[in-house]
Amino acid sequence: MDTNFCRHYTGDGTPPSNRSCRVCPKVVCDRLWRRVLDLAESNGGDPVPLPPTRAVLFPNPKNPDFVRLQVNCRWGLPKEDFLHYIATGHAGMGRRGQRSDPHASPSCTRQEPYVQAIVELLGGMDIPEIRAVREVQRRG
């Protein structure tokens, strides 16, 4: 995880500090995450295909800090992994002891290419919500 991905992040990349996006008060990040949640709910409860991948997207009714992804098995995409990808372009897999890898997602779960597919369904990296988040995340 790139711990410099956002100027508001103060953690060291290890749990529980890697989950700080869930409690960060920045409204623009919440707006963008709301778009992801709305996309997950947009198919009336049925899975939302994420082309060009084989994955589908589901809402997570028990926890709004996650959406669910599925190819063969189901796993969670947490808010912080998505926002890390928005800032860095990376949401790759990491292993214990590799949390400092700037290409690893905060959860150390491989979220690529699924996050890219979600961004494309939202309208691409140039939509106003993503531009606003990147401005808030930008350091100095």
Side-chain angles (χ1 to χ4, degrees):
M1 168 182 180
D2 181 351
T3 56
N4 293 313
F5 81 98
C6 180
R7 68 177 169 212
H8 302 285
Y9 179 73
T10 57
D12 63 2
T14 60
S17 74
N18 65 337
R19 303 178 194 117
S20 70
C21 293
R22 300 180 200 181
V23 295
C24 181
K26 294 300 168 189
V27 173
V28 295
C29 296
D30 288 340
R31 280 189 198 130
L32 177 58
W33 184 245
R34 179 78 251 167
R35 296 257 340 250
V36 174
L37 295 174
D38 290 346
L39 177 63
E41 297 167 353
S42 68
N43 206 12
D46 289 333
V48 176
L50 295 176
T53 74
R54 295 181 317 124
V56 292
L57 177 68
F58 295 88
N60 184 342
K62 294 182 180 180
N63 189 339
D65 291 324
F66 288 84
V67 290
R68 292 180 178 156
L69 297 168
Q70 181 176 340
V71 175
N72 292 320
C73 64
R74 230 182 244 197
W75 72 96
L77 169 64
K79 180 180 183 180
E80 60 271 12
D81 283 8
F82 184 76
L83 293 173
H84 184 270
Y85 172 76
I86 295 302
T88 67
H90 301 290
M93 187 172 196
R95 301 254 188 254
R96 185 192 289 184
Q98 295 177 328
R99 287 197 176 272
S100 61
D101 178 350
H103 295 144
S105 71
S107 70
C108 286
T109 303
R110 181 176 155 281
Q111 306 290 11
E112 296 177 57
Y114 317 109
V115 287
Q116 293 98 322
I118 291 169
V119 166
E120 288 307 310
L121 287 176
L122 293 176
M125 288 295 270
D126 290 325
I127 64 171
E129 294 90 344
I130 289 179
R131 286 198 319 261
V133 165
R134 293 183 92 177
E135 185 61 34
V136 164
Q137 292 173 327
R138 190 170 291 129
R139 292 202 172 260

